[in-house]
Each structure stands twice: as structure tokens, then as C-alpha cells.
Amino acid sequence: MTPRSLSRVLVLTVLMVSWAAIAAVAAGHAAAAPAHRADTHTRAARVWFPRNRLPLAHATGLGAAKPSQRMKLGIGFRDPNVSGENALLAAEQDPSSSDYHHFLTPAQYDTRFGGASATFAKALRWLRDGGATVVDSSGARDFIEISATVSQVDRLFETQIDSYKAHGVQFLANDSAPSVPAHLDVLDVMGLNTLMRPTTPLTNASASNRAPGSTLLGRATSPAALKGMAGEGALLDSITSQLKAETGGTTGTASGLAGLSGLLGGAGSSVTGAGSTAAGAAAATLPTVPAELTPQELWSIYDMPSNNLGQGQSVAVLGAGDSSTTVKDLGIFESEHSLPKVAVKVTDIPADGDFSDTSGNVEWELDTQASTGMAPDVHAVHLYFSQHLIDPDAEASIAAWVDDPSGPKQANASWGECETTPANATLESTIPTQFNNNEDQNALYGTGAPDALEPVAAQTLTQAALEGRTLFSATGDTGSSCPVLVLGGELGAGNGVLNQGVPIVNYPAADPHVVAVGGTVLYPDGSGATATRGLEYPWPYSGGGQSYFIGEPAFQKGTANVDRPCLSSLSGTPNTSLGICRGIPDVADESGDIATSSYDIYSDELGGASSEGGTSLASPLMMGMWTRIQAASRTGTGFADPDIYAVGDNAAEYARDFNDYTVGTNGAYQAGTGWDYVSGWGTPVLTPLMKDIDSGNTAPIQGR
């Protein structure tokens, strides 16, 4: 057994022991909390949320927070008919059902599956009576976002918000488990601390201070010199040397590219499948390294039909903060690449909010320019922007998209955080130091922190699927780990290109009703509209792996390589019936490797014409490609994953519709034939994929 394998086994063994113990601890907290409060709170019964607090033993307390300081919180309420939703969703995806592809409108969902109006009214009254301002709420009556002062939050949730500091970062957090009136049927509470939030690798990227996930193309003398990318440069040097040796320095051949498999870590070709120049056709020249890919080159490389540019469809980007630069730079990008001008619609949530936050601008520029670059004839790109990239605002953005009756059928979220786990404040961790979020100075507040977004967003994303919508989400740039390095600015606060060791996956990518998109490193053969795939392999920092707590969705059942069992339920109960757990990614697309392969964009923050990469690129690229598939679909595809897996599980269709990567790694996982935890099904070959999904049609269907 290799040291890496032994280390992973040790970590997982300890995690299993720790999480198995949490059930009793959590139950004890849940049971003890009401008794602890009973002598001072004798009114109506309350429900406590013991998992919803940070492990604060290793933070420095600074005393009570300023009572007048305002906080943004989100409250999720339980859906009343989960079994009914699941049954209808299965019928919508079953060709033999009368409900097949008969998707709900938001109003129909609200009527059929929304929460009780009376209970929701009581919740609104409770919050307003407590002094909170209601910022936003969902049409399905399962989510409310509020703004409230610290003193109001303390009274409403019967906890105390204090100020803390750790590793130079100051934040607010509740000192004990929050509680709510039991009769309100609350599912979870978001925003009780100001530390945990979704992240994107491109936060605060600028021309002078590139974020860890921002390309360094042209700024470093060699890929090997890049911080946090050990081995990447050596891999590229080996690939280049091998190609030159086998082709005399001028020509790449199928056998030559196949011979690179040993350099990439395993047997077999890394570039097999339809559409690959390594699948039997000789390349004209060496792959272009470095590669700054244009939209037109990707149209050619991924075989996108020329008669379908996404007509009749629209796309959405879920983001936060200022959108003005994003809109302006999209127009410049379109002019530079001779693309049509796409209309931009912005929904600010709330409409009268403060949208001065510019920290995510480069991310939103990449998202819009990648998605419309792949589908340039869409009639609009719709930006659903909350004020900040925090859990309550992220859910508000998802809900606004899902509640919009004319909202796009596809949206992108290039942000994420560690999936919800039972390893949090109910247990002072016994995980070895290098993985101990309570003791290790870098991993502090990682897996031990509450991801309160997941339980609430999971309900909203089920609604999206019932409405025939698809959210595409980046799997992250930390390999077989999630971004646990919440503190430690020198490492990008968890965002950067670095495998952080804890084998937990990103959310929302891990959600069963999301298409999780991983990344590949792509070098073209040729340029412009005739470019082909010279070389492509899984990016070593592409997010991927198994969830330990989210069960395998129906569309993954029967997929041979999705084979890793769940560890426990979210309550900490050891797995006895959950069976196999969700695996990601579902598919992959060009992410580049930050240093030598990227995508042309225009960004004011980066000084103008620039290039970007990461799974933050792969996800909107895939959304744009799927938009073309939607444009050709006679009834609309609905949620994309069932179609993707139906093709993948069909050997003949898979061979022509996807480029399979059989070697490569993202840390704990290895690529292999067919679906794998590194690259999913691989990258799409769009024309045959489109035909197989919709009975041979590629022409867009207008007016839908």
C-alpha cells in the first residue's frame, strides 16, 4: 500500500469512528438543550440545532458583539410532501409516464408542494415581532431571508452572538446552539456566523494580485515555478519532451499521444473517445502549449453543430455584488471575438440592496463570457445577484431563479463550500492533527463548521428539477478535497489550487439535482475554427470524489464505477441502509491548469484582455454547451443528468458522445474507463450527443 493510500485509509478510519460517535453526542445535545433552558424559558416548546455552531475552543473570544451591528440570516422550512415531489420527478423523467417532460411552473409547484400558508404567516409574524426586517422570501413558502441586529438575533434564536478572532480574521458567531419555536417547522438557520460562506477561487483577483485560481499564463517562467502546483510543471515538460521525441519535433501521432499514458499515471490512453485526434487520426502539428483558447476553437474541438448557437434559449448566472463591470466587459469580449451582442437582464436580490461588493467581479466576468461564448445566440443572459456571497444570499439567488416564471432553464454557480457533515461543534475532533479542524492552524473551521446552506438549498434545487431546470456547478479547484482552509490567507483562504487533504466534496456540486462539472487540461492542434483536440487529460486539481452522506441518485444507479458506500446519515448514525453515495463530477470540460491552458476573457480588474481557468471555467462552458442541446430539444430536456447518464450507460452512444479519460488523478481518486471520480463521463462531443438525446435533431427550435 502506498503512503498516500495508507494515509487515506487512516483518515477515513478515524472519520468513521468519529462520525459514528457523533450520533450519541448530537442526540445528547439535542435532548439536553431544552432541559438546560427550561428553567428560564417556560413558554412554548422550542427546537434546538446543535450542529449549527462553530467549534470555537481554539478561537480568541473578544466579548459580546456590538448589539446594533446588523446580520443577514436565512431560515429554511421543511417541505411538507417530499415523497410526492420525488414521485413526480421520477415520472417527469420516465418516457412511459403521462407526466414525462410535463414540467411544473413555479406557481404550480407553489400550489402543489409549497408550505402551509398559515405556518409561514406565523413565522413571518414571529420574525417581525422580534424586530427583524424581512429581506426576501420564496414563493413556495420554504425560505425567508432577514436582516436583524445582533441583539434581535440573540432574542429570536436564544443564543448570544460574540466576536472572535483566529489567525488574523475577526468574525461573529453564536456561542451556543440556536433554537426556534417548535410549531414553525424550521429546517435550518443560516448566517449565525460571519465566517463560513461559499467561496470562489477568483475572489479579489486583480492584475497585480492574482487570486490562487486565477491564471498566471505569461507571468511565470515555467509551470514548475508556480506555488502550490508541485509536479504540474514536470508533467508538462515530460509530455512535451515525449511528443518531440516521438514525432521528430514536428508531428504528433495517435500512437505518440497514446504513449503518454505512463507519464499521466496509469495504463491506457488518456485521450480516447470520439472527437479525439488521438483516437486514430494523426495530428498535423504538436499540441499548442501554452494555449489561450477562444470560443471558436472550443466550438470546433468539442464538435458543436454550426446550425445551433443556442437560439431560443437563455442562460443564468448566480452571483453577488456589483454587476455593472460584468455587463460592460461582456460587451467588449463579444466585440473582440466577433460574437453577437447578448442582452443582459439583472435581478438584484433585494431590489433596494447595497450592491457595491466587487470582490467577485472576475468570477462573474468569466461565467458570463464562458457561457455565452458557447451559446452566443441566446436571447439573454440573466444575472441573479444577491448582495454578498454568503449562505443566506446564495439561497436567495437560487430561489429567485427557481421562482422566476420566465427564468432560464439552465443556470451556473461557480462557487461552493464543504458539504454538510456531522463532524462539527458537537465533537471536539479526534482526527489526526493534519486533518483536525480544531488544532491545525490552516484547516481551522473547515469540515467542523456548519454548512447550513445545503439542507435548505437541496429543497429549492428539487423544485428546480421539477420545473425542468438544471443548475451547473463547479466541483472546485482543490482536487479530492473541499476548500477546508477557511483561515490562512497565504493559501487563498481555501480557494486555491491545492489539495487540502480532507476527502469531502463541494456543495452545491454534490447535490443530486445539480450537474457537477470537473476540469480537464486541453491543448489544441491547430487554431481557430479548424482546431482539434491535440491533447487533453484530467486536471490534477479538479474537484471530485464521493459524498459520504448524500445517497446515490436514481440516475447513478447502475453506473458501474459509482461504487463507494455512504458513511453515515447527517445525524451521525452509521450507514445501515443508505447504500452507495453520490459521486462527482458528472461531466468535465476545459478548465485549463492555470499556467499553460486557459480561456480568453476581457476583465477590467485583470487589466483588459486576459485569460482564466479552473472549474470556474469548466462549469459555465458546460452550461453553454447544454444550452445548445436544450435549443434543439422538442420538449425541453428537463434536468440534464438523467439524459447524460442514459447516454453514458449505453456503450455505443458513450463511445461517440464523450471523450473518456482513462488515466489521471485528483489526489485520492484515479481516472478509469467510463465514469470515474476524477472526470465523470469525460468531455462532450456535442453534435452526436445532441442527436442521441433528441432523436437525431440538431437544429434549434424557435419560440420555446
Side-chain angles (χ1 to χ4, degrees), residues 27-28 110 157 159 278 282 290 501 520 579 694:
D110 298 345
F157 298 98
T159 187
T520 62
D694 205 63

Side-chain angles (χ1 to χ4, degrees), residues 217-273:
L217 191 65
R219 291 171 53 84
T221 57
S222 72
L226 293 175
K227 181 180 179 180
M229 296 187 68
E232 189 89 8
L235 173 63
L236 177 64
D237 292 341
S238 297
I239 289 171
T240 304
S241 297
Q242 180 77 4
L243 282 169
K244 289 181 178 179
E246 294 189 2
T247 65
T250 57
T251 304
T253 65
S255 60
L257 290 173
L260 295 173
S261 61
L263 299 173
L264 296 175
S269 172
S270 65
V271 283
T272 60

Side-chain angles (χ1 to χ4, degrees), residues 119-191:
T119 302
F120 196 67
K122 290 177 183 177
L124 288 169
R125 186 164 56 250
W126 166 65
L127 291 166
R128 287 169 173 149
D129 286 350
T133 299
V134 174
V135 175
D136 190 51
S137 61
S138 66
R141 301 175 295 280
D142 56 5
F143 172 70
I144 298 173
E145 186 174 24
I146 64 169
S147 172
T149 66
V150 164
S151 62
Q152 291 165 347
V153 171
D154 286 344
R155 289 195 300 271
L156 282 165
F157 298 98
E158 297 196 348
T159 187
Q160 180 171 314
I161 303 296
D162 288 338
S163 182
Y164 297 89
K165 188 174 184 178
H167 302 284
V169 178
Q170 189 168 335
F171 56 93
L172 304 182
N174 49 305
D175 70 342
S176 60
S179 69
V180 299
H183 68 280
L184 298 180
D185 210 16
V186 171
L187 175 65
D188 214 337
V189 181
M190 295 178 276

Side-chain angles (χ1 to χ4, degrees), residues 273-275 642-660 681 683-696:
D643 279 332
I644 290 171
Y645 278 79
V647 168
D649 288 329
N650 180 305
E653 292 181 352
Y654 180 52
R656 61 178 173 258
D657 295 352
F658 283 93
N659 301 304
D660 187 20
W681 290 111
T683 57
V685 186
L686 210 66
T687 294
L689 176 61
M690 189 180 297
K691 290 179 179 179
D692 283 334
I693 285 177
D694 205 63
S695 303

